[in-house]
Amino acid sequence: EVQDKNSPSWNKGRIFYESKEVKNVYAAQFDKDIGSFLDARAMEIVCGGFMAIILPSIREGADPLKCSANAVLHLLGSSLLDIANMGLMDEAEVDSFNIPMYFPSPAELEAVIERNGCFEVERVEQWAQPTSQVSAEQAALMVRSTNEGIIRGHFGSEIIDDLFNLFTKKLIDSGLFSDSSYVLPSELFVLLKR
């Protein structure tokens, strides 16, 4: 749906969820993917066996559209559009690219696990991010290290350095890391029993 021009959740010019319609599509895909993951692990783990999962999440009740990770990915998408406007690629390439990542709340993940039925939740802990500040430059390097491969695979190698130089500048200029209105993502630890 995020790539269908006739869909209300078409994600034109964006690479991550920035509207409730697109967020709902990402949540539905997350639900499907985690369900498939749990089904596969259930075939590997003996009854009574345990599995631990750690994944990025957002705290219960927080607005995912005000998550700092979402804002960072918005700036990355904006940088991709700037690269397209420079004529280094076609804007349609940006329209066809979406970062395949979702930040569930603990309740969302527990609901998926319960619907799946293969595992019981033994423990759920949400670990807060360290309170030490990350600089914009460090954040840009982290985004590059985790996303360069998928970006290179979609857009090619030619734009990578220009893209991340532009993205780093945008991240520095944004003041995002000094804006306390944004929610930091956290790590969600879940212990499951087969």
Side-chain angles (χ1 to χ4, degrees):
E1 296 125 282
V2 297
Q3 294 181 1
D4 179 356
K5 293 179 183 179
N6 299 315
S7 169
S9 54
W10 184 35
N11 210 21
K12 177 173 178 43
R14 293 177 296 269
I15 65 168
F16 201 57
Y17 50 94
E18 294 180 38
S19 71
K20 291 206 183 298
E21 293 83 11
V22 176
K23 185 251 180 215
N24 291 341
V25 171
Y26 268 71
Q29 186 65 49
F30 172 81
D31 188 296
K32 180 181 172 186
D33 292 344
I34 290 296
S36 294
F37 172 80
L38 293 172
D39 287 340
R41 300 299 73 80
M43 289 190 281
E44 300 168 344
I45 298 174
V46 298
C47 287
F50 291 92
M51 173 174 62
I53 303 172
I54 299 174
L55 69 158
S57 71
I58 189 165
R59 76 173 191 268
E60 207 63 61
D63 181 356
L65 303 179
K66 283 298 277 182
C67 178
S68 61
N70 194 311
V72 166
L73 291 172
H74 168 75
L75 291 172
L76 181 60
S78 172
S79 299
L80 280 165
L81 285 174
D82 289 347
I83 294 291
N85 290 332
M86 292 176 199
L88 300 175
M89 68 177 173
D90 188 69
E91 188 175 326
E93 289 181 80
V94 180
D95 293 342
S96 68
F97 180 72
N98 288 277
I99 297 283
M101 184 182 336
Y102 182 72
F103 298 96
S105 69
E108 283 179 290
L109 181 60
E110 287 185 74
V112 173
I113 294 165
E114 186 176 309
R115 276 192 303 276
N116 175 269
C118 293
F119 291 90
E120 294 176 11
V121 176
E122 291 289 312
R123 181 181 214 154
V124 175
E125 291 180 18
Q126 198 157 26
W127 300 336
Q129 291 290 350
T131 55
S132 62
Q133 282 288 7
V134 172
S135 72
E137 293 88 349
Q138 291 169 319
L141 287 172
M142 286 188 287
V143 170
R144 183 172 184 165
S145 69
T146 57
N147 293 290
E148 182 175 342
I150 192 169
I151 292 169
R152 185 181 302 272
H154 189 84
F155 298 102
S157 301
E158 300 78 25
I159 67 157
I160 294 297
D161 289 334
D162 289 337
L163 171 65
F164 282 103
N165 289 338
L166 182 59
F167 169 65
T168 301
K169 182 177 179 349
K170 282 188 176 211
L171 205 50
I172 292 167
D173 293 346
S174 74
L176 175 65
F177 294 96
S178 59
D179 186 342
S180 62
S181 69
Y182 283 95
V183 177
L184 290 172
S186 57
E187 296 291 325
L188 189 59
F189 170 82
V190 184
L191 182 64
L192 302 176
K193 183 177 181 181
R194 175 78 169 97

